[in-house]
Structure formats: structure tokens, C-alpha cells
Amino acid sequence: MEDRESDPFSTYQENKLLLNSIFMKEKMSRYSKQVIDKYFKSLLRAHKRVEFARDLLELSMIQDIVADYLMDMQWHVKYDVSNPDFDPQYRFDLVARKEKRVITVLIQPEITRQSTLEIQKDIFSVKKEMPSTRVLLATDIQELPYILQKGALSDFIIDMAKKYKLGILLVDKNLEYQETWLVPSEFLYA
């Protein structure tokens, strides 16, 4: 079995750099296809380690895990907030800020055909009002095969990644630890 440390983006510094790089096209273009492929292989290994007997994580649990991850990366995080520049009735699952950069996180414990319509509507709304924000879709790592599997769902995600820079945050939690993996939009269509 391969050592976990050999996985790309497995260290705190690598994760922090990747998260900050999603706002800089020149930095994202430095990640080679080989590194991206190796990263997806490590994600698939992580997926295989998940306890398949467990239920999908609930929205609030995913929200807490993602908030912890972003705060660990020194982002300022707000839960379930309205944005003053936006429709005050529209609420985001999570909003993270660092300097002038903003990340909006949409949380979907399970990705279905119905949820893709909600995701698409939310992305359009966010990008219309705040074009420079990066939108991340947070979900349970158990959803990884559906995201990568060729079909309507993966086509939708790749299309949203290309057009609106939709990235993904995959999360896992068990009794001993919680983990978060960032998949930038550029990795989805590389």
C-alpha cells in the first residue's frame, strides 16, 4: 500500500497553496495533467477507505467540516448568511473571505438530477451578483463515483466547472478524523 504522504496535496502547506491558487489562473495552469491524475487516484483510494455502511453525511455535518477546513486555511467563515450585496432573502450555506477573495460554498449531501437544478440556479445567482467569487460544491466523498462516472451528472459538473469555475469539496468523517479534499474546477476538465 502506498504511503499517504506521497499523495499530492496531502500536506497542510500543499492544501493551503491549492486553495489560494484557485483565484490565480497562472498558478492553476502549473498543475500538470500527471499531478491531477495522481490526485484523482488518491481520491479514489480515499473513497475506498470510507465505511460504506455509514449513511451519507448530513448538511450540517458537511457544513461544519468544510468550515473547519476553511478556517484551518485561515479564511474567515460565516454560516448560512445573506450577503449584503445580494438579495437579503437568499442565504448561502457558507461564505468564506480572505482579503478580497470570496468563496461561496453550496452544500449537497447527495447529488441527484433534482439537486443539479438547484445547484445550477444557485451558481447563476451567485455569479450574476458576484462574478469574481469562486463557487464550491461540498458533498460527501461517497458521491465521488457519481461525479467521475461518465454520464449526465459528470457532464453537468464539467460544464459548470468550465463556464462558472465550479469546484468541489469532498468530505469524510468518522469517529477518529475528518478530511476534506478540494477539487478545483480546472482539475475537473483537465
Side-chain angles (χ1 to χ4, degrees):
M1 180 175 240
E2 284 186 42
D3 181 26
R4 188 173 181 280
E5 289 304 311
S6 67
D7 289 340
F9 315 114
S10 61
T11 67
Y12 172 81
Q13 272 311 112
E14 289 172 317
N15 255 291
K16 189 174 178 183
L17 180 63
L18 181 62
L19 182 62
N20 290 323
S21 294
I22 66 174
F23 290 90
M24 297 172 256
K25 187 176 184 174
E26 66 279 354
K27 286 198 176 187
M28 289 308 299
S29 65
R30 291 182 191 165
Y31 294 111
S32 69
K33 177 93 170 102
Q34 187 178 28
V35 169
I36 294 169
D37 289 345
K38 189 175 177 186
Y39 185 50
F40 276 110
K41 286 177 184 171
S42 72
L43 286 175
L44 289 168
R45 281 194 304 274
H47 173 263
K48 287 179 183 177
R49 291 191 302 262
V50 173
E51 297 174 32
F52 288 102
R54 79 161 168 78
D55 292 332
L56 286 173
L57 299 174
E58 295 176 12
L59 188 138
S60 61
M61 187 173 286
I62 294 172
Q63 192 175 35
D64 289 343
I65 295 168
V66 171
D68 288 348
Y69 168 77
L70 291 169
M71 286 187 286
D72 284 348
M73 299 292 157
Q74 283 123 24
W75 286 72
H76 301 285
V77 178
K78 293 194 181 218
Y79 283 79
D80 193 27
V81 294
S82 59
N83 188 303
D85 300 332
F86 205 64
D87 179 357
Q89 298 202 337
Y90 186 87
R91 305 201 57 87
F92 300 103
D93 295 321
L94 276 176
V95 174
R97 291 184 183 273
K98 187 174 190 178
E99 298 157 2
K100 293 183 180 185
R101 295 175 271 173
V102 178
I103 294 173
T104 302
V105 181
L106 310 173
I107 299 175
Q108 284 291 329
E110 183 176 18
I111 301 175
T112 63
R113 285 183 187 256
Q114 183 61 34
S115 68
T116 59
L117 297 174
E118 287 177 44
I119 294 165
Q120 188 173 29
K121 184 183 93 182
D122 291 347
I123 292 170
F124 291 156
S125 298
V126 169
K127 286 299 202 171
K128 180 180 175 189
E129 296 297 324
M130 300 177 294
S132 64
T133 192
R134 288 300 291 251
V135 181
L136 300 175
L137 173 65
T139 191
D140 193 311
I141 193 166
Q142 287 190 30
E143 295 292 290
L144 181 63
Y146 307 112
I147 293 168
L148 297 180
Q149 191 175 45
K150 294 290 182 208
L153 182 58
S154 66
D155 290 347
F156 164 77
I157 290 173
I158 290 169
D159 188 48
M160 292 293 106
K162 285 179 181 175
K163 289 181 182 173
Y164 303 103
K165 299 209 176 286
L166 175 69
I168 297 179
L169 285 167
L170 299 164
V171 300
D172 184 25
K173 181 178 180 75
N174 66 28
L175 296 174
E176 299 168 12
Y177 64 90
Q178 63 186 35
E179 283 190 271
T180 305
W181 297 270
L182 170 64
V183 181
S185 59
E186 293 83 354
F187 285 17
L188 291 167
Y189 58 84

